[in-house]
Amino acid sequence: MSVDLGRPVVVLVEGQTDERLLASLLAHLQVSERVCVTQGRNASGKGAINTPLLKSVVAEYTLHERPLDALGIVADSDADANETFRHYRAVFANAGLTPPTAAGMVASGPPRTGVLAVPPGGPGELEDILWDYYRDRVPDLASCIDNAREAVEAVDPPARVKRSKILVHSAWVYGINRAPTVRPLRAPHQTFDQAFWDWSHPAFSPLSQFVADLLG
């Protein structure tokens, strides 16, 4: 993990899709120069947002005399959004930081702290937000993908339905659709620079508001 010490607000995320989405959203909000978004990593290199990581981030900024204004976590709600929040609230507390009192809310600190479990209220993951946007933006195509997935699920139920549906759409729109030649298929996070994504859409409001609250 690396952080930009010139940016006193850090948001830790779980994966590449999350990082790319937040980076694109920050650019839309015109605050990309103030917020560092990075995937959580521990000393062994495995993805983990834990107490030692939070301590190391705060210590690194303090060492360089750039004390953090805010430190946030954006994580999948998974099976239980409340349990996800409680887990990361404990991570903040164990790191000696003032923990937020509710998911999506920001504690005053210093530094300000917050946890956003997505989708808010859960269960689910970041891809649920993306799929809500798809269904609103291209409802006919989303319906076709839903129907195709239902047929496949009857034979081989997938573990991550939303992610697979979004991959189908990204592959179609940005991979082979209306192309004079076949182009390499693109994963969703590789399409976030395309005009298809409108970051001002209400589906992304919880993320936008969370960033705004972290910025104070």
Side-chain angles (χ1 to χ4, degrees), residues 161-175:
V161 175
K162 291 293 191 316
R163 179 166 295 188
S164 63
K165 289 195 292 191
I166 292 168
L167 181 59
V168 168
H169 182 277
S170 295
W172 174 251
V173 174
Y174 301 111

Side-chain angles (χ1 to χ4, degrees), residues 56-119:
S56 70
V57 171
V58 172
E60 187 173 3
Y61 274 83
T62 301
L63 177 65
H64 289 83
E65 299 183 347
R66 292 284 296 170
L68 276 177
D69 288 337
L71 178 59
I73 296 172
V74 174
D76 290 340
S77 292
D78 292 326
D80 187 334
N82 292 327
E83 180 57 34
T84 295
F85 169 71
R86 286 192 292 268
H87 169 77
Y88 285 115
R89 187 179 190 279
V91 167
F92 273 114
N94 292 336
L97 302 171
T98 303
T101 58
M105 303 299 291
V106 173
S108 58
R112 293 184 297 278
T113 64
V115 175
L116 180 64
V118 292

